[in-house]
């Protein structure tokens, strides 16, 4: 395999690349070396200090992580809550609305399940979830959201990038439409943050949730919630925890005094090992630079898209790299069988219903894309006839 010195350096962080062609980064980027080192540091602190580690290290790391996330988003520190996962963040947001006044929540049929579930679960409190449907199963035209939002709409909750198509939504335009009609915009940005430059203040969104599993390279256990300063200060979530109050270490059981800004959306004791891994992933992203990541995503994913189209695959993601992230989806009626066949030959991909999903990251190479295409070619006939 011919790879440049630069690519070699990038790949050295990911030992998995020695053995496998890893193309499942939009699900979970493998643990980088520095993430492993930080988790080992956490284990040493726990072993040697026990509870003292909270005060000597862990609370500081937790607040530093909040700062890292704020920097990545272009947010202020108090606009960021650290969450255990995106679902917890959405449950907190869903608990803030007065559904008697405005019952409608709009979600798209391309959204990740939890974006709908968080609001379907508050139906007994009056929420009515309405789904807008993508005409091409790839994109969601703004006009369809616009038509669905009315004076009874509390919020639109939708993805910045759809997990089965990689399509990048214009969240700034959507925020303008929502605000014109008096609704909030909640964005699930799990598939976008870390994949391309984004400034949350410039976008105008009210809430945004995301996590570190994917392009941020920080693994499971850490997610985040952004709430714009004015939105956060006005919010009174009913899903709460003692870390979300103004002074958790006052140990006041009798009063609920919401934490500053988005902190009020936090719950209880965080998973500290995950904080260490998350900070390492974000550090790595900042070293590489999000512009480099974006350039590599476009280059590598376009090779896959062009190659797959040449082989006759039906490609579900947008074919123009500007319109999508590094998510490439190919239709196959036995996607599980196809993904297993690829795995048996050392290429790791994933399935979503009826789709093979391939997602390179910046450390992958064009040679690896060609290897994946070589293995995909014989599976193509089965895609048509299975
Ligand atoms: C768009 C999107 N939202 C949410 C999630 C996951 O949510 P949670 O952190 O609650 O597991 C994923 C993927 O795992 C995703 O792709």
């Amino acid at each position: 395999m011919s790879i440049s010195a630069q690519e070699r350096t990038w790949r050295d962080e990911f030992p998995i690349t020695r053995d496998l062609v890893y193309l499942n980064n939009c699900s979970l980027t493998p643990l980088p070396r520095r993430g492993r080192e930080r988790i080992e540091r956490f284990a040493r602190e726990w072993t040697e200090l026990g509870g003292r580690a909270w005060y000597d290290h862990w609370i500081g790391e937790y607040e530093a992580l909040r700062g890292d996330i704020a920097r990545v988003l272009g947010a202020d520190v108090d606009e960021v809550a650290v969450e255990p996962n995106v679902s917890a963040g959405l449950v907190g947001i869903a608990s803030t609305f007065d559904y008697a006044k405005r019952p409608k929540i709009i979600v798209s049929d391309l959204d990740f399940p939890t974006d709908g579930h968080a609001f379907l679960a508050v139906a007994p409190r009056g929420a009515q979830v309405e789904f807008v449907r993508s005409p091409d199963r790839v994109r969601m035209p703004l006009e369809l959201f616009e038509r669905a939002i009315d004076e009874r709409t509390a919020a639109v909750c939708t993805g910045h990038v759809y997990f089965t198509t990689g399509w990048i939504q214009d969240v700034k335009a959507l925020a303008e439409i929502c605000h014109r009609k008096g609704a909030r915009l909640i964005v699930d940005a799990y598939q976008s943050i870390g994949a391309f430059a984004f400034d949350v203040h410039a976008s105008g969104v009210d809430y945004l949730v995301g996590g570190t599993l994917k392009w941020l390279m920080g693994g499971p256990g850490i997610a985040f919630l952004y709430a714009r300063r004015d939105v956060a200060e006005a919010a009174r979530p009913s899903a709460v925890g003692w870390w979300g109050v103004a002074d958790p270490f006052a140990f006041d059981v009798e009063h609920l005094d919401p934490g500053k800004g988005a902190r009020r959306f936090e719950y209880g004791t965080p998973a500290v090992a995950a904080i260490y891994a998350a900070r390492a992933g974000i550090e790595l992203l900042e070293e590489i630079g999000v512009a480099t990541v974006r350039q590599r995503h476009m280059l590598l994913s376009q090779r896959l898209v062009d190659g797959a189209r040449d082989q006759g695959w039906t490609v579900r993601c947008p074919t123009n790299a500007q319109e999508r992230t590094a998510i490439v989806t190919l239709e196959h009626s036995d996607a599980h069988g196809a993904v297993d066949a690829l795995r048996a030959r050392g290429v790791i991909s994933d399935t979503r219903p009826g789709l093979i999903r391939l997602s390179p990251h910046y450390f992958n190479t064009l040679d690896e894309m060609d290897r994946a295409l070589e293995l995909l070619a014989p599976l193509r006939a089965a895609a048509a006839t299975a």
Side-chain angles (χ1 to χ4, degrees), residues 22 85 93 129 275 310:
Y22 190 83
N85 47 53
I93 295 167
V129 185
I275 296 173
D310 287 348

Side-chain angles (χ1 to χ4, degrees), residues 26-27 84-90 110-115 159-164 188-192 209-214 222-223 327 352 357:
C26 81
S27 180
N85 47 53
V86 154
S87 303
L90 289 172
L110 293 179
D111 278 310
F112 196 78
T114 207
D115 301 332
H160 193 184
V161 165
Y162 291 128
F163 74 111
T164 54
D188 178 347
Y190 217 138
Q191 291 292 352
S192 63
V209 287
T212 56
L213 274 182
K214 308 170 192 299
I222 293 294
I327 293 177
R352 289 296 173 265
R357 188 175 69 171

Side-chain angles (χ1 to χ4, degrees), residues 331-347:
E331 294 187 4
H332 198 298
S333 52
D334 179 22
H336 282 283
V339 165
D340 287 347
L342 293 174
R343 183 180 298 121
R345 310 285 299 275
V347 173

